[in-house]
Each structure stands twice: as C-alpha cells, then as structure tokens.
Amino acid sequence: MRLFRIFDLFVVMALGLMLPLTGARAEADLSGNEILALAREAAGGDGWANAQTLSLSGHAIFYGPKGPEPRSIADDYRMWRIFDADREAAHGADGKVRIIAKSGEKLLFEVGFDGQTTWTERGITPQAEADAFWASNFGFGIIRQADKPGFTATRLADDRIDGHPLYMVLLTDPKGGETLFGIDQQSHAIRSMGFRTPKGWHHRTYDDFVELNNPRWLQARHVTLYYDGRKSNEVFWTTTRVNEEIDPALFQPPAAMLPVPAD
C-alpha cells in the first residue's frame, strides 16, 4: 500500500511539473498575429478597433535637449481624432486630428490636420515639412488595422519594461512601414511602441490603465515619449471620450490662414 502511495505522489509531482511547461510552451508558440489579436481584445475588441472618434484631455510636460528641468508644462492639453477606417500607412497623417497645448491662457502650440492640410498656430505647414512631422509622431493607431489583408505581424524576442514581461511584435503595413509593439504578457495591454522617424528612433511607453465602458475601452493615462532614448515629453490623460460627435470645422485651419481667392 505504501508503495502505491509513493507512486501516486510521483505522478502528482510529475503532473505539477508538466503544467507550467505546457503553459510556457503555449506562450512560446503564440504567433505575432495571435498576440496582436489578444491585444486587440484587451484594448476593447471590435469597438476599440472600429472607433470613429476620440477626444482626450489632460496635461503634459515637455523637455528640452539639455538639462533636467521641463522646457514647458501644458496644464491644458487636448487632442481630437476622427479615425480613417481604411488606414494603410503607419507613419503618415490619416483621418483628422487637432492638438492644443496651453499654459494658463498662453497658447504653447497647436496643430491640426483636416484630411488634406496641416497647420499650426504659425500658419499652413508646407507639405514636405508636414510629412516629416507626421512621420515622427503617428504610429500607434495602425495596430487597429493589424488583422486586415496586407499587414504582417512578426514575433521577435520577448522583452521587459518597468517590470512587465512583454511580447514584442513587429507590425509591417502594406506600404512597408514598420512599428514595434510591446504587449503585456499578463494583461495583454499595449505597453510600448517604437518606430524609425526623421528625428531618430521614437519610442513610447504606456501605463496607468483604466477600462471604460460603452464602448469597452482600455486607456493609458500616462504616456511617455522618447527620441533616440531621450525623454521628450509625458502626457497625462484625465478625460477620455469615444465616438462622440466632433464638428469637422474643429480641424480646419482658421480662415485668416487660407489664401485669398483671385478675382
């Protein structure tokens, strides 16, 4: 009888060792597409991927090329987006966007894109300059298109950020643009993103997540942006609105910026 009990104990121990190995093997077998599908579901599923508009507000800190102190602080930082459901290029302007940064009553900067024209508080931005600007800033939203034809998701070596183990996936869009995403191995939240830009390697980290409802939406309230490893700015979002109607006029440049029609 004792021999059988010892044998049973060995069986239980062997099964206990096999279960973690099975889980580890399952994680190792996940493809890039499967990991991004997990991230999509964690972010909010189809409601997140097919969102039409997004409005965010909060505050932001901007750092200069030298010194530890902030270059400026925007106590009022806002962004409005109308998404392009057919987006194919990761690092170009798409849909419509407007961003305003203010310190008290002082305007620090603003930038808008109405679907064709990019403008700032200084006026209309020349096309080449606009293309370089958006190529240095746009990239996160392309993950919403990852399951569409023409996109390729390649799993790379796992990594870790701020103590969180990550799956690393390189997403290539149909035009050849590449974006590296870091997906939390436990929560499947999108914790990092990176891509090459005219300003160098751009890297972002996402933290302090909150899950909203109607639609279900996982929002990072703390976003940190780096260029070539140097911290450029931090954004702290406090208010998130999804799929609320936005007046298209919000994205248009002020009439004073537009050329006067010839007689």
Side-chain angles (χ1 to χ4, degrees):
M1 180 66 70
R2 182 171 181 176
L3 180 61
F4 282 112
R5 288 178 179 173
I6 293 175
F7 176 75
D8 290 342
L9 179 61
F10 277 127
V11 170
V12 171
M13 291 175 64
L15 288 173
L17 290 172
M18 288 175 63
L19 288 174
L21 289 174
T22 301
R25 187 176 297 113
E27 291 183 2
D29 290 342
L30 285 172
S31 69
N33 283 325
E34 290 171 330
I35 292 168
L36 294 189
L38 292 173
R40 175 191 179 105
E41 178 58 28
D46 290 344
W48 169 82
N50 300 319
Q52 297 177 347
T53 71
L54 175 65
S55 302
L56 296 168
S57 63
H59 66 278
I61 304 172
F62 300 90
Y63 300 92
K66 295 182 180 180
E69 298 301 321
R71 180 187 63 189
S72 60
I73 297 176
D75 51 45
D76 185 359
Y77 189 71
R78 306 185 186 213
M79 181 178 72
W80 297 265
R81 289 293 312 274
I82 294 180
F83 295 112
D84 178 3
D86 299 318
R87 180 178 181 181
E88 291 189 346
H91 309 303
D94 77 282
K96 294 179 172 63
V97 61
R98 185 172 179 182
I99 300 171
I100 296 178
K102 298 176 70 175
S103 177
E105 295 300 316
K106 179 184 177 182
L107 177 66
L108 298 178
F109 69 85
E110 67 177 320
V111 59
F113 176 70
D114 64 3
Q116 293 183 326
T117 301
T118 299
W119 56 277
T120 71
E121 74 281 3
R122 299 184 301 273
I124 302 298
T125 306
Q127 190 62 50
E129 183 180 335
D131 290 344
F133 174 80
W134 295 120
S136 297
N137 289 278
F138 266 27
F140 177 87
I142 199 64
I143 195 172
R144 292 186 171 90
Q145 317 296 327
D147 63 341
K148 294 183 178 179
F151 287 83
T152 303
T154 305
R155 183 173 177 181
L156 305 182
D158 294 348
D159 206 346
R160 180 182 293 268
I161 189 169
D162 295 334
H164 302 283
L166 303 180
Y167 299 121
M168 303 304 297
V169 179
L170 183 67
L171 179 62
T172 305
D173 66 41
K175 299 182 182 299
E178 295 182 335
T179 311
L180 182 64
F181 287 97
I183 310 302
D184 192 298
Q185 292 185 10
Q186 296 181 343
S187 69
H188 303 144
I190 303 166
R191 283 201 174 268
S192 73
M193 178 205 70
F195 57 93
R196 299 191 186 281
T197 81
K199 293 173 58 176
W201 177 257
H202 178 39
H203 177 69
R204 297 181 202 171
T205 62
Y206 301 89
D207 204 354
D208 189 19
F209 293 91
V210 60
E211 188 166 359
L212 310 176
N213 297 310
N214 299 318
R216 183 167 61 88
W217 186 276
L218 188 64
Q219 178 64 46
R221 293 183 291 190
H222 184 193
V223 185
T224 308
L225 296 83
Y226 303 82
Y227 288 93
D228 283 340
R230 305 175 194 178
K231 184 161 67 172
S232 171
N233 57 295
E234 295 178 89
V235 180
F236 300 86
W237 298 122
T238 54
T239 303
T240 303
R241 295 185 175 89
V242 183
N243 290 338
E244 289 192 356
E245 185 175 351
I246 302 176
D247 186 351
L250 180 72
F251 305 99
Q252 296 172 358
M257 294 182 182
L258 299 175
V260 178
D263 292 336

